[in-house]
Amino acid sequence: MLLALVAWLHLSVHRHQVAAALALGAVLALMPVFAPLLVVPVLQRRWTQAIVAGAVTAAAGALVWACTGELGISAFESAATPNRAVFAAAEYLHLPQLGGCGLGRGGDGSRGSRVDAVAPVASG
């Protein structure tokens, strides 16, 4: 994400308006919290950059809506649940308990205090 923002700044400074707009549009599509950055090209009167960045963001949103039928954060909630087996790596690597989160060895030396509580992910 940071690389895309740096690319947007670099391309914008060097007057590559369409490429800068594509970079900004990608950033806005992935992280809408950066939407206030769309004001920068508007204030600099770079209309092409502002319009293309908005269009890229809107197109990405429309694509997500077409694929999932949901908009915004609810599209992420309907995504597949992540595989929780990655937490078993703490037991496999014999890691000590980290900050009381229960990964790895417990305080009494027992192994897998939280790893055993992880439910398997249903496939299908």
Side-chain angles (χ1 to χ4, degrees):
M1 194 55 48
L2 182 61
L3 182 62
L5 286 172
V6 171
W8 167 62
L9 288 172
H10 176 76
L11 292 167
S12 184
V13 167
H14 292 290
R15 301 285 184 187
H16 299 289
Q17 298 304 313
V18 175
L22 293 175
L24 181 60
V27 167
L28 294 178
L30 295 175
M31 294 194 68
V33 72
F34 288 124
L37 288 178
L38 196 56
V39 172
V40 174
V42 171
L43 291 176
Q44 294 175 342
R45 295 183 181 166
R46 296 181 180 178
W47 307 114
T48 304
Q49 187 175 351
I51 291 170
V52 172
V56 167
T57 305
L63 182 66
V64 167
W65 179 58
C67 291
T68 64
E70 298 177 357
L71 287 175
I73 211 71
S74 61
F76 291 113
E77 292 170 357
S78 68
T81 4
N83 187 357
R84 300 285 181 182
V86 72
F87 296 115
E91 180 182 355
Y92 178 75
L93 297 173
H94 305 291
L95 296 176
Q97 186 174 2
L98 303 173
C101 65
L103 296 176
R105 294 181 185 265
D108 58 353
S110 65
R111 296 182 61 192
S113 58
R114 291 281 290 166
V115 175
D116 297 334
V118 175
V121 177
S123 61

